Amino acid sequence: MDSEYAFELALCSHLEERRDWVLGRQLGASVADPGARVVDVCAVEPGPQFDRRAAITSETIPPRAVESDVGPGRAVDPVDAFDCSPDVARCAADRAAEVGFFESERRGSRRHVRATTRYPDWIGRLIGVENKPDLGRPGDLERQLRRDVALGLFDAVVLATESYVTGAHLNRIPDSVGVWRFSGDELTVIREPTPPAPGAPGIEPLADRPLRTDVAVVSAAAKARKRRAVAERAYGKGWRPDAYPGCASMCPTDEGLPYCAAFDRVVHPGRDCGESCSAFEAADPPAVDRAALRDGRTPWVADPEGVARRQTGLDRFS
């Protein structure tokens, strides 16, 4: 059974209930080396224009669409407005239209797009949480946290653990990393995080070699783009499982945690469940309204009205 997974979901449920944050799990947080770092929990503290963002869509707005030259004024050919290949541009524009951030129109045989609204300044603080319930088995914890601090992508980096935290533990992680002890649905702040400088360039370790570590200098602009991408992914993804297994023992909690009655614990549906499990008994998957749970407990909006509008007669003057 995956105890780290259960710890992570329990922490997410706790934070969702007690803090006005939008949470996402297992999100990529590297810039120069995509995929090299996945942060356990990313929390977005709503910024000044959060309500405007929530009104657009409940899903992730493609970062390429946000960074493109497509605005809410004149419709443009996405191939000309994106800094990428034509196929990638068209796919990003299609997705942006599906979620309501773009609207499309035909210009002869070509499709043009315009934004339905200006992208809002909705991200307040971005908090990265690394979960390590058992500090007796730290793995790459120190290296991961030093990487996060050096890059400075987050406004705060926190280590969450179930272990009793000693001075020796604190001495092995960067001073700027906050530490939480989370046990039995009680969260105790052992050390507050020290804010890094997300608006300044950062240093991202790339590879460890004998007597040296290769690094990349990441510009402030590149970090800003990545912060927006992480926040958007957290907004669209959330933290609950995508699906719950069709097993008679699966009895999700009121918060949507995948609790197994046979083993009396939260289980990882993708790893622990299935016909190979000794307690598996085929049944209809339980009905869990993840969107309703998230809508009722967080600032996230499950079914926004959207902001699409039509500019009557605009095509005639193009």
Side-chain angles (χ1 to χ4, degrees):
M1 299 294 179
D2 194 329
S3 61
E4 289 201 16
Y5 178 83
F7 177 88
E8 189 164 295
L9 263 59
L11 177 61
C12 285
S13 179
H14 178 92
L15 294 174
E16 185 178 76
E17 183 178 359
R18 291 165 175 80
R19 307 203 180 195
D20 195 29
W21 289 353
V22 172
L23 304 170
R25 290 182 53 252
Q26 298 295 309
L27 303 181
S30 297
V31 180
D33 186 12
R37 176 73 173 111
V38 175
V39 172
D40 291 331
V41 178
C42 296
V44 187
E45 187 176 273
Q49 297 180 5
F50 182 87
D51 289 346
R52 286 181 54 196
R53 168 61 187 86
I56 300 171
T57 177
S58 63
E59 301 186 60
T60 296
I61 296 174
R64 288 186 184 275
V66 177
E67 297 158 12
S68 72
D69 292 332
V70 179
R74 183 175 62 88
V76 297
D77 187 331
V79 172
D80 300 326
F82 284 73
D83 185 18
C84 56
S85 71
D87 287 344
V88 172
R90 294 187 187 100
C91 286
D94 286 345
R95 183 57 183 160
E98 286 175 9
V99 302
F101 185 56
F102 283 180
E103 57 184 359
S104 304
E105 62 187 56
R106 302 299 300 185
R107 300 284 183 88
S109 62
R110 305 292 292 274
R111 187 187 60 145
H112 285 53
V113 294
R114 66 165 62 84
T116 55
T117 185
R118 295 193 183 281
Y119 187 79
D121 178 16
W122 69 278
I123 304 166
R125 291 200 311 150
L126 197 63
I127 300 102
V129 182
E130 182 66 19
N131 296 316
K132 190 61 65 174
D134 183 3
L135 291 181
R137 302 170 60 187
D140 291 334
L141 177 63
E142 183 177 352
R143 182 174 180 273
Q144 290 168 336
L145 294 175
R146 292 194 181 282
R147 180 191 189 104
D148 295 340
V149 169
L151 179 56
L153 188 70
F154 296 97
D155 296 286
V157 176
V158 175
L159 165 65
T161 183
E162 196 172 18
S163 297
Y164 178 76
V165 181
T166 68
H169 291 138
L170 295 177
N171 289 335
R172 286 199 291 268
I173 64 175
D175 293 339
S176 60
V177 174
V179 180
W180 296 340
R181 184 166 188 249
F182 178 66
S183 179
D185 200 36
E186 181 177 341
L187 191 153
T188 303
V189 177
I190 305 298
R191 184 171 75 189
E192 292 284 0
T194 301
I203 301 296
E204 182 173 341
L206 298 178
D208 288 327
R209 304 176 186 275
L211 304 179
R212 82 176 200 194
T213 299
D214 294 338
V215 301
V217 177
V218 180
S219 70
K223 284 172 57 175
R225 290 192 296 270
K226 186 63 179 183
R227 281 169 57 86
R228 185 167 55 227
V230 169
E232 276 294 339
R233 185 67 176 131
Y235 192 90
K237 182 180 182 184
W239 60 267
R240 291 177 175 83
D242 292 333
Y244 296 80
C247 175
S249 296
M250 178 50 51
C251 304
T253 67
D254 291 342
E255 298 80 20
L257 276 63
Y259 173 82
C260 175
F263 291 98
D264 190 24
R265 69 183 75 186
V266 170
V267 295
H268 193 309
R271 299 177 187 172
D272 301 329
C273 302
E275 295 184 6
S276 61
C277 174
S278 60
F280 177 76
E281 181 181 346
D284 292 334
V288 180
D289 193 337
R290 297 180 301 125
L293 285 172
R294 196 178 184 203
D295 192 320
R297 293 161 58 97
T298 76
W300 180 84
V301 177
D303 189 21
E305 293 183 2
V307 294
R309 80 281 180 271
R310 297 304 308 171
Q311 298 185 21
T312 304
L314 185 63
D315 292 359
R316 290 180 298 166
F317 303 104
S318 302

